[in-house]
Amino acid sequence: KTVHGWSVIALTSPAQSTAEMINNFVILLSCATLLLLFFAFVAMQLSKKITRPLEDIIEHFPDKELNPRMLRDAKVSRELVALAERLVSSHAVINDFQHQLSEQVDNKTRQLKQLNRELYSLAQKDSLTQLLNRAGFNRFAVTSYRNCVRNRITMSLILIDIDHFKIINDTYGHPFGDKCIIKVSEILKEHCKRDTDIIGRFGGEEFIIMIMGG
């Protein structure tokens, strides 16, 4: 009813109302889809603008210095430039540290190998005569013996003992006895010069020689 008392009645078919609602829904859905596509396009462009400079920086990250032209072409912000410079500086520090650490490890490894060789040599040599000690002689003698057996080579084993050595030590003292032992070892070295001759100090005043080939 109107203010003047008139009554207005609009007669519309249900099908027409339903069609109108469907049309409005389609229009609303189309607008929403277009709006989503627009936001997706904007987000993609923004992500490219942000991530592409980062990708360029990461690509040049192994370099010690960033190319200023690359930064200028990428049009990155000052914050990203500062971040990139810090990353590159940190990377350079890590590389230098790794290089120094590798050199130190190599040096220590060489020193350790040299020390092991010296210790191995000392473990097989007699400190007084510099001949093989008993353990060193046994090691080389076993190898030589097996070689002689394999190749049917004759072999001689000589055991030498300094007679009355105790009397020498008791009469002239142990330092003089050591000189006697050193002199005997020098004489043995003079007469056993072949590479296959093996000379060792077997005990206090005892020496042993292995001669291959007679």
Side-chain angles (χ1 to χ4, degrees):
K1 292 182 179 182
T2 63
V3 294
H4 300 288
W6 293 84
S7 297
V8 180
I9 300 173
L11 300 178
T12 305
S13 63
Q16 186 177 357
S17 299
T18 302
E20 187 68 20
M21 292 177 62
I22 292 174
N23 289 335
N24 292 334
F25 178 76
V26 170
I27 293 172
L28 181 62
L29 183 62
S30 300
C31 293
T33 302
L34 291 175
L35 188 61
L36 288 175
L37 291 176
F38 173 76
F39 279 115
F41 175 78
V42 172
M44 186 179 298
Q45 295 300 319
L46 288 176
S47 64
K48 287 182 178 180
K49 187 175 181 180
I50 295 175
T51 59
R52 185 172 297 173
L54 293 177
E55 291 177 355
D56 293 337
I57 293 172
I58 293 174
E59 182 179 355
H60 293 79
F61 182 71
D63 300 337
K64 293 184 178 180
E65 295 181 358
L66 287 177
N67 188 353
R69 181 178 179 182
M70 183 270 293
L71 295 175
R72 184 176 61 255
D73 294 340
K75 297 180 180 180
V76 296
S77 62
R78 287 182 294 178
E79 291 79 5
L80 285 179
V81 173
L83 176 61
E85 291 177 349
R86 289 183 180 180
L87 289 175
V88 172
S89 177
S90 301
H91 184 264
V93 170
I94 293 174
N95 280 342
D96 292 340
F97 176 75
Q98 289 178 342
H99 182 68
Q100 294 177 4
L101 183 61
S102 178
E103 288 184 347
Q104 292 179 1
V105 170
D106 292 339
N107 291 333
K108 294 298 182 182
T109 302
R110 286 193 295 268
Q111 294 176 5
L112 183 59
K113 289 182 178 179
Q114 180 63 27
L115 181 61
N116 287 334
R117 286 193 294 267
E118 293 176 357
L119 290 175
Y120 184 72
S121 177
L122 291 174
Q124 295 187 106
K125 284 188 176 182
D126 176 60
S127 59
L128 181 62
T129 63
Q130 296 304 309
L131 296 176
L132 291 172
N133 58 24
R134 187 167 185 168
F137 179 85
N138 289 339
R139 177 179 178 275
F140 283 96
V142 169
T143 304
S144 298
Y145 172 76
R146 291 174 179 173
N147 186 44
C148 290
V149 173
R150 187 184 307 110
N151 297 285
R152 298 181 179 180
I153 301 174
T154 58
M155 178 197 69
S156 300
L157 194 64
I158 305 171
L159 186 62
I160 302 172
D161 180 74
I162 302 177
D163 293 335
H164 311 296
F165 187 73
K166 185 176 184 305
I167 297 176
I168 295 175
N169 277 335
D170 294 341
T171 303
Y172 301 102
H174 288 280
F176 184 82
D178 290 343
K179 291 181 180 179
C180 293
I181 292 176
I182 294 173
K183 186 62 178 179
V184 172
S185 67
E186 291 175 351
I187 294 173
L188 295 178
K189 290 177 184 178
E190 291 177 1
H191 290 83
C192 301
K193 296 181 178 180
R194 297 187 305 176
D195 294 335
T196 55
D197 295 339
I198 305 174
I199 313 172
R201 185 182 179 189
F202 207 64
E205 68 276 8
E206 298 174 346
F207 299 86
I208 190 168
I209 304 173
M210 175 178 280
I211 300 175
M212 297 176 58

